[in-house]
């Protein structure tokens, strides 16, 4: 009986010894798993580090809060417009897919107002400032961002036209603070579609001392708040 079962036992033992080895060979390595999860993982490696460029356009809606401007009555003047903005940022990882970015931006904002409105806004030029924030790479093809941008903004020819006294027409530079959020979806290893939201506050700080020049707007006190929604494209330099 033992001699008859000997070959069967040996074959069974050999099979049992081969099963773990076959299973180990069939299990994918970490590198192959990453490849299966996303084909760009070998290049991105969990975080899109380095130089990033983006260009976006969109619509704006907000208001000017006028406290003092010529003969205008203090009040709130609404307006809407369109904007375009170019961003440059450098991204660095913190841990896992979370990181931070620093950079700068420039832009242009065109604003329209009601023709019967006494306060007449004008287009503005956004000068390079300081951009910083956090970024989270959800996958190699999706990332979300939250940041802040501080910059100077130039308005040439802000006017009041209320037909009372002398109408004022001034040019000022305002300080702007922009809180922004957005996300990007990469359709190519370098290129992405960008969707963003902004909340901006702009303030004018009048000179403390009166200038002998009549063009110095020392009696002006106003600020601006608005919201932007836009979309654009981004490029990640790998």
């Amino acid at each position: 009986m033992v001699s008859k079962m000997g070959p069967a036992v040996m074959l069974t033992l050999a099979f049992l010894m081969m099963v773990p080895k076959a299973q180990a060979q069939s299990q994918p390595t970490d590198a192959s798993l990453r490849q299966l999860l996303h084909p760009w993982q070998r290049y991105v490696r969990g975080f899109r580090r380095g130089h990033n460029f983006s260009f976006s356009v969109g619509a704006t809606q907000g208001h000017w809060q006028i406290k003092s401007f010529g003969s205008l009555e203090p009040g709130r003047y609404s307006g809407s417009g369109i904007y375009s903005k170019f961003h440059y940022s450098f991204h660095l990882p913190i841990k896992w897919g979370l990181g931070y970015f620093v950079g700068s931006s420039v832009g242009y904002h065109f604003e329209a107002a009601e023709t019967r409105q006494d306060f007449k806004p004008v287009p503005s030029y956004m000068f390079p400032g300081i951009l910083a924030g956090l970024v989270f790479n959800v996958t190699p093809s999706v990332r979300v961002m939250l940041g802040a941008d501080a910059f100077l903004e130039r308005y040439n020819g802000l006017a009041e036209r209320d037909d009372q006294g002398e109408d004022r027409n001034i040019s000022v530079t305002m300080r702007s603070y922009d809180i922004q959020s957005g996300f990007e979806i990469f359709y190519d290893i370098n290129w992405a579609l960008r969707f963003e939201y902004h909340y901006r506050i702009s303030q004018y700080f009048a000179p403390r001392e009166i200038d002998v020049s009549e063009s110095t707007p020392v009696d002006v006190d106003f600020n601006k708040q608005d919201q932007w929604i836009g979309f654009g494209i981004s490029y990640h330099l790998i």
Side-chain angles (χ1 to χ4, degrees):
M1 175 67 75
V2 175
S3 61
K4 290 181 180 180
M5 295 186 61
V9 172
M10 295 296 293
L11 288 174
T12 302
L13 290 174
F15 175 76
L16 292 176
M17 293 175 65
M18 291 174 63
V19 167
K21 185 176 181 180
Q23 290 179 342
Q25 292 178 348
S26 64
Q27 291 178 351
T29 63
D30 292 341
S32 61
L33 276 175
R34 288 194 295 267
Q35 283 292 102
L36 289 173
L37 290 174
H38 203 287
W40 299 343
Q41 186 62 41
R42 61 179 296 186
Y43 306 103
V44 177
R45 298 182 180 180
F47 187 85
R48 287 185 170 270
R49 177 174 181 161
H51 303 280
N52 290 265
F53 308 86
S54 67
F55 177 78
S56 56
V57 297
T60 69
Q61 183 73 39
H63 67 272
W64 290 79
Q65 188 68 44
I66 306 296
K67 298 179 182 179
S68 174
F69 184 19
S71 56
L72 275 182
E73 291 291 333
R76 187 169 175 171
Y77 298 86
S78 60
S80 60
I82 57 175
Y83 77 92
S84 62
K85 205 163 189 183
F86 173 80
H87 295 87
Y88 163 76
S89 59
F90 191 86
H91 293 218
L92 289 168
I94 297 176
K95 189 174 183 181
W96 304 108
L98 179 65
Y100 67 96
F101 60 87
V102 292
S104 188
S105 67
V106 294
Y108 175 81
H109 181 237
F110 174 81
E111 184 172 1
E114 296 181 8
T115 56
R116 293 173 294 176
Q117 187 169 277
D118 295 334
F119 176 71
K120 305 298 183 183
V122 293
S124 66
Y125 301 89
M126 293 170 267
F127 299 142
I130 300 174
L131 171 67
L134 296 174
V135 57
F136 182 69
N137 291 243
V138 182
T139 71
S141 59
V142 178
R143 64 181 176 185
V144 295
M145 294 158 290
L146 177 64
D149 195 1
F151 53 91
L152 296 177
E153 196 165 0
R154 182 66 178 176
Y155 294 84
N156 292 322
L158 286 172
E160 55 98 354
R161 298 286 187 266
D162 60 354
D163 298 326
Q164 297 181 16
E166 182 182 356
D167 292 334
R168 297 293 303 273
N169 188 314
I170 62 172
S171 297
V172 298
T173 300
M174 302 178 68
R175 299 180 192 175
S176 294
Y177 307 93
D178 176 12
I179 304 299
Q180 54 190 260
S181 62
F183 65 93
E184 295 175 340
I185 302 175
F186 284 82
Y187 60 88
D188 179 81
I189 191 169
N190 298 106
W191 293 94
L193 296 176
R194 176 185 178 95
F195 302 89
E196 59 187 29
Y197 167 81
H198 300 255
Y199 176 73
R200 179 182 61 166
I201 298 176
S202 300
Q203 296 176 312
Y204 172 67
F205 295 90
R208 294 184 178 181
E209 297 182 1
I210 298 178
D211 196 304
V212 294
S213 171
E214 295 181 357
S215 63
T216 303
V218 295
D219 61 340
V220 173
D221 186 3
F222 51 65
N223 61 69
K224 179 183 180 181
Q225 299 180 29
D226 56 6
Q227 301 178 64
W228 309 355
I229 296 179
F231 67 95
I233 57 173
S234 295
Y235 179 80
H236 174 215
L237 181 61
I238 294 181

